[in-house]
Amino acid sequence: MTTRPPAADAPMAASLRADLDGWTVDGVSELVGDRAFRALDREQVTPALVAARAASSDSAAVLTRLFMLGDDVTRAQADAALSRLSAQGAERIGLIEAAGEAPDDPVRALVDLQPYSSTTEHGQVDWWIASDQGEAVTARAVGRDHVLGVGGASNTLASVTMRAPRRRVLDLGTGCGIQAMHASLHADAVVGTDISSRALAYARFNETVNAAALGVHGVGAGAAAHRAWDLREGSMLEPVAGEEFDLVVSNPPFVITPPGAPTYEYRDGGAVGDGVTGALIRDVGTVLAPGGVAQLLGNWEIRAGAGLGEASADWRDRIGRWLDAAPAPLDAWIVQRDALDAAEYAETWLRDAGVTADRDPELWSSAYEAYLRAFDEGGVEAIGFGLVVLRRPLSGAPTMRRFEEHEGTLAMPLGPTLTAALEAHDWLASVSDAALLDTAFTVAPDVTKETHGRPLEAHPEHILLRQGGGFGRVIKADTALAGLVGACDGELTVGQIAHALAALLDVAPGEMIRGLVPAVRDLVRDGLLLH
C-alpha cells in the first residue's frame, strides 16, 4: 500500500529536528555494532534489529528501531524519543501510525527516516532523509511510485559533483532531494524537478526538516540563510525549457526496462532502450549557461556488433553520436565504471525492486525472460554504467571529448579531482609545445614511483608512477619519463630536463623532446604533474 508522504510546517519541522539532533550515522554504527552496520549496507536488517532491541531504550535506539528498521515500539517509547514533537505530532505529519492512545499501544513508522552524514568542502554535514520504506523492511516488492532514499548511486553522484560556487543549480530527477541538499551549500538558487509528485513531496519535507543546515557556501554559523528550493513537476528538461543553469546534476531514471518487466517511477523514464541517457546527453546543453557543467549517471547499450542502424559496436561511438546530435556543442568526459551482461543486468534491477524468485517466482521468471529476450533481439551484448561530465564551452567551440573505462576504486570525493582535471585541460589547450617546454612542474604529493625487476639486474624491468588519490591511475614509464618526473622540482623546466636526459641517455634532443611532450601533457591532464 502506498503511503502519503509526510508534510510538516516550519514549527513542527523544528521540533522534529530538535528530537533528531544527536541521532547520527556514527551513533547508529556504535549502537548496533560493526557486524550489523555492515549488514545494513547489504539491506539485511536482522542483525541490527537484534542489536537495537538488546540495547537500552534511549532515544537513539528507539529512533533506529522505529524509522530505520521498521520495528514496532510503544507509544510511550515514541513519546520519549520524540519529546518535542510527540507521537501525536509525528502522526499528524505522517511519520507514524499508532494502534491506540494507551502508553503500551504499538506504534509503527509509515516512512523510512535515516541519519545521513557527509564530509564536504564546506565541512561536515549531518542531515536526516525521509523516503518510502524499502523491501528489506516491508518484506514485499516496492510500489510503482516508490520514492527511493539515499543509495549507492546517489552517494556516488554527490561525491563526484564539482562544488564551485554557483548561481543556479538544477537537480533533474531530484527524488528525495539529496542532490539538492548538497547543492544548497554552494548555490544561490536550486531548482529540483521530478515526474513524481510523491518524490517532490518527500524532497520538500526533507528540505523543511534540514533547512537550518542548508546555508549557502558553508555549514554552521558562517553560512548564509537557506533559500527555499523551486520544486517543479515534469519530465526531464520540460519544466526548465528556455532557462539556463551553471550546474546540472542528475541521477536520472536511466534503467533499461523491456516490455513485460515491472516499471518504477524512480528508475524508468519510459524511453526505449537507453533513450533516457541518450536524450539527456543530447539535450542538456540547451539549459546550460556558457561555462556551465552537467554531471549525471547513466546506462548505455553495448552492441554485440555493427548493425541495426549502428555503424560501430563501440560504446564510445554510440555516445559520440548523441553528442554529435546535440544542438549546443559540448565538451564531454565519459567514464564507464562497469558493464553487465543481460542476465546480470536483469538480476540487479529485479532485486533492486524487491522482485525475487522466492517471493514471486512467476514474476521473477517472466521478467527475467523479458530482459534476455529484449537484449538478444536488440543485439545488446552488455549494458555500460558510468559517469558523464558535460560542459558548455565559454568559447562555443568544444576542445574535449574523452572516453575511458575505469573499474578500479576511486578516491572520494572525486569532485575536486574533476575540477582540477578540467582546469588542467583548459590550460593545456591554450599552451603550445614550446610554452610547455618552458614550464617548470612539480610532482603531485600523492604520486609514488615503483620499480620492478629481477634481484640481480642493474636496471628495473618496469617503472610505475602510481597516483594515490583521484582515479588512482598507474602509468608505465620508460627511463626517460621516470627521470623527467623525478627531476620536476618546480625550478627546472621540461626543456632543461629533456636536454639533460638526452645527453645522459645519448639520444638526440629533438627525439627526446618529441617523446616526452605528449607524455607530459598526459601527466598534467591527469594530475600527476602540477604547474
Side-chain angles (χ1 to χ4, degrees):
M1 179 182 68
T2 298
T3 60
R4 177 177 56 86
D9 59 21
M12 298 193 81
S15 295
L16 175 61
R17 185 165 57 247
D19 288 330
L20 299 179
D21 187 32
W23 185 43
T24 64
V25 174
D26 288 344
V28 171
S29 176
E30 183 176 348
L31 173 73
V32 303
D34 290 342
R35 181 182 66 181
F37 198 70
R38 290 195 302 270
L40 288 175
D41 283 339
R42 304 190 301 272
E43 298 186 353
Q44 298 297 320
V45 301
T46 300
L49 270 174
V50 171
R53 286 170 177 169
S56 63
S57 295
D58 64 9
S59 294
V62 172
L63 292 172
T64 300
R65 288 174 55 200
L66 179 64
F67 289 119
M68 288 185 65
L69 306 178
D71 196 21
D72 287 356
V73 301
T74 66
R75 189 178 189 92
Q77 289 174 322
D79 270 326
L82 300 169
S83 60
R84 296 167 182 84
L85 180 63
S86 78
Q88 184 180 41
E91 284 183 278
R92 188 179 307 142
I93 66 177
L95 289 178
I96 64 173
E97 69 174 7
E101 300 292 329
D104 290 335
D105 284 336
V107 169
R108 75 176 186 92
L110 296 175
V111 304
D112 181 274
L113 180 63
Q114 299 199 22
Y116 172 88
S117 180
S118 179
T119 301
T120 75
E121 289 91 332
H122 305 289
Q124 174 79 19
V125 296
D126 289 292
W127 298 326
W128 302 276
I129 309 297
S131 63
D132 281 331
Q133 292 176 318
E135 59 91 14
V137 167
T138 64
R140 61 178 181 269
V142 302
R144 300 296 171 89
D145 57 355
H146 181 78
V147 176
L148 199 65
V150 180
S154 298
N155 283 323
T156 295
L157 182 59
S159 294
V160 303
T161 299
M162 295 177 278
R163 300 295 177 188
R166 302 289 186 179
R167 189 176 63 86
R168 298 189 79 213
V169 173
L170 169 63
D171 177 11
L172 190 155
T174 189
C176 68
I178 186 61
Q179 307 304 328
M181 292 174 72
H182 277 283
S184 291
L185 300 181
H186 65 104
D188 296 329
V190 176
V191 176
T193 67
D194 206 292
I195 198 170
S196 167
S197 59
R198 297 188 73 253
L200 293 174
Y202 269 111
R204 183 65 77 195
F205 177 80
N206 289 328
E207 178 196 23
T208 305
V209 170
N210 293 284
L214 297 179
V216 179
H217 307 319
V219 296
H226 171 64
R227 179 177 175 182
W229 303 336
D230 180 357
L231 297 179
R232 308 178 192 178
E233 185 174 348
S235 178
M236 300 294 283
L237 296 168
E238 290 174 2
V240 295
E243 300 181 44
E244 289 187 343
F245 298 87
D246 306 296
L247 174 65
V248 176
V249 292
S250 183
N251 179 15
F254 57 72
V255 176
I256 302 170
T257 305
T263 59
Y264 304 91
E265 279 186 339
Y266 72 90
R267 71 184 203 189
D268 300 298
V272 176
D274 53 11
V276 167
T277 302
L280 196 51
I281 288 177
R282 185 185 65 240
D283 296 333
V284 72
T286 62
V287 300
L288 286 178
V293 172
Q295 294 186 257
L296 53 126
L297 305 178
N299 273 169
W300 41 82
E301 296 174 349
I302 301 173
R303 302 285 178 165
L308 298 173
E310 303 279 357
S312 167
D314 195 312
W315 65 269
R316 300 165 183 82
D317 294 334
R318 184 172 183 78
I319 296 178
R321 285 188 291 274
W322 295 337
L323 291 166
D324 291 340
L330 299 172
D331 288 323
W333 185 1
I334 319 295
V335 183
Q336 180 167 286
R337 296 282 292 134
D338 198 7
L340 302 178
D341 65 32
E344 292 171 321
Y345 194 80
E347 294 163 15
T348 295
W349 291 110
L350 287 174
R351 283 197 299 262
D352 173 78
V355 178
T356 66
D358 292 338
R359 186 172 295 151
D360 191 337
E362 185 175 346
L363 178 58
W364 168 268
S365 179
S366 63
Y368 203 142
E369 289 178 14
Y371 275 99
L372 298 179
R373 183 168 55 252
F375 288 142
D376 288 345
E377 291 175 353
V380 178
E381 186 174 67
I383 299 87
F385 168 80
L387 165 67
V388 177
V389 180
L390 305 171
R391 181 177 61 171
R392 182 179 171 187
L394 285 169
S395 66
T399 58
M400 171 186 280
R401 184 170 290 193
R402 182 176 182 182
F403 299 91
E404 59 180 305
E405 298 179 8
H406 191 93
E407 297 186 7
T409 302
L410 300 176
M412 297 296 189
L414 195 67
T417 297
L418 298 180
T419 298
L422 289 182
E423 292 173 351
H425 168 84
D426 292 340
W427 182 78
L428 288 167
S430 68
V431 171
S432 67
D433 287 350
L436 186 78
L437 289 168
D438 285 337
T439 303
F441 294 95
T442 58
V443 182
D446 65 333
V447 174
T448 57
K449 183 177 74 171
E450 298 178 8
T451 58
H452 300 267
R454 297 182 64 80
L456 299 180
E457 295 292 333
H459 302 289
E461 296 178 7
H462 303 286
I463 304 173
L464 302 178
L465 303 175
R466 188 178 295 275
Q467 185 179 48
F471 283 88
R473 300 185 189 278
V474 179
I475 310 299
K476 187 175 181 179
D478 59 16
T479 302
L481 182 59
L484 182 140
V485 171
C488 284
D489 59 0
E491 296 183 4
L492 295 173
T493 67
V494 172
Q496 290 171 326
I497 299 171
H499 279 87
L501 287 170
L504 181 65
L505 300 175
D506 195 23
V507 176
E511 181 180 348
M512 178 65 70
I513 288 171
R514 283 192 296 273
L516 286 177
V517 166
V520 169
R521 285 187 175 273
D522 287 344
L523 293 177
V524 173
R525 177 196 65 179
D526 292 333
L528 283 80
L529 289 180
L530 308 176
H531 69 92

